[in-house]
Amino acid sequence: MDGHGADLDSLPYIDKEYDDPAIRSQVLEMIQEEMGRMSPPAIPRSTSLFKNSELLRKEYERVKSGRPLPPFDIDRYKLEAPKEANIDEWQWASDNAASQLEHQSIRLVNLELLQQFGANAWKLSNFQKERMLAVIENATDGYKRTGVDLNKARKYEQVEAGVKLRDLESRWEEGVRQCIEIQVANCQLLAEISKLEHGTANST
């Protein structure tokens, strides 16, 4: 059976047979058997992630393959004198010192900006997060209320259906009882008729 075409429903608010452990075990076995006949959902065999970012794609492949994260390179932050007295070494040391000076200058600028605007930026960020939290909480409460209302509606419908089912079951049982009584009465009448016919035949 196709799982997408299956119509599975129950009446948990009025079906009390499921409380019996033996019935519950039988139902679970039937469910497992039915699920075994259902076709599995279509899942793509391969998914290409991070198509637009080579950096993220390489990092994903590294994590997927289990390779460790490469160590952090701190050599570029060291200020060491050249080991050899040649122009190239001194040029590299001079460029490195200039980049370190620029890096420290940028750090000072960032610290000044943080000191001037950091407190207000932090308050604004907290305010935005609180607003987002309030929106999420309101949405969550709305979903909870919807779920409660849905369960109430389901319970009401099932209770109403239970009343109708019990009435129909009672009428069916009464009909079966009357049929049995009629059959018994017919058998008795046939037996009396046969007895009368037998007695008439003997008297003649």
Side-chain angles (χ1 to χ4, degrees):
M1 179 183 292
D2 186 3
H4 299 288
D7 186 11
L8 305 178
D9 197 6
S10 62
L11 301 175
Y13 292 104
I14 62 174
D15 290 338
K16 301 303 180 182
E17 293 83 357
Y18 190 71
D19 296 335
D20 186 357
I23 299 296
R24 186 185 301 112
S25 177
Q26 182 179 1
V27 170
L28 292 177
E29 291 179 359
M30 295 174 62
I31 291 175
Q32 293 298 327
E33 181 181 358
E34 182 68 20
M35 292 179 64
R37 292 197 294 265
M38 293 181 179
S39 58
I43 300 177
R45 296 183 178 180
S46 61
T47 303
S48 179
L49 299 176
F50 311 118
K51 295 181 180 180
N52 300 325
S53 177
E54 183 179 359
L55 179 63
L56 292 177
R57 186 167 60 253
K58 289 183 178 180
E59 180 64 15
Y60 173 76
E61 293 296 334
R62 182 193 66 77
V63 175
K64 184 178 179 181
S65 61
R67 297 194 304 270
L69 186 68
F72 188 70
D73 184 14
I74 61 175
D75 292 337
R76 57 193 300 253
Y77 299 104
K78 296 179 180 179
L79 288 176
E80 296 180 352
K83 297 180 180 179
E84 299 181 3
N86 58 59
I87 297 177
D88 293 336
E89 289 290 337
W90 280 101
Q91 183 65 44
W92 182 89
S94 176
D95 294 340
N96 185 38
S99 64
Q100 294 302 320
L101 179 60
E102 183 67 20
H103 174 67
Q104 295 299 328
S105 176
I106 293 175
R107 290 186 62 187
L108 288 175
V109 172
N110 289 335
L111 289 174
E112 291 175 356
L113 292 174
L114 178 62
Q115 185 177 6
Q116 184 176 0
F117 303 106
N120 291 333
W122 177 259
K123 293 178 181 178
L124 178 60
S125 177
N126 288 339
F127 174 77
Q128 292 174 343
K129 289 180 174 60
E130 289 175 355
R131 293 295 302 170
M132 292 175 61
L133 178 61
V135 171
I136 294 174
E137 289 178 345
N138 290 335
T140 302
D141 293 339
Y143 291 137
K144 288 182 179 179
R145 288 192 298 269
T146 301
V148 171
D149 294 341
L150 179 61
N151 288 330
K152 287 182 179 179
R154 290 178 66 245
K155 183 176 182 179
Y156 175 78
E157 292 176 357
Q158 291 186 21
V159 170
E160 290 294 319
V163 173
K164 294 180 181 179
L165 287 174
R166 284 190 291 271
D167 179 64
L168 293 173
E169 183 179 4
S170 176
R171 292 167 60 184
W172 176 80
E173 291 177 352
E174 179 66 20
V176 171
R177 185 184 63 80
Q178 291 179 0
C179 288
I180 294 175
E181 291 177 352
I182 292 174
Q183 290 180 356
V184 171
N186 287 337
C187 291
Q188 292 176 351
L189 289 174
L190 289 174
E192 292 179 2
I193 292 173
S194 178
K195 183 177 180 180
L196 290 174
E197 289 178 348
H198 183 71
T200 304
N202 290 336
S203 62
T204 57

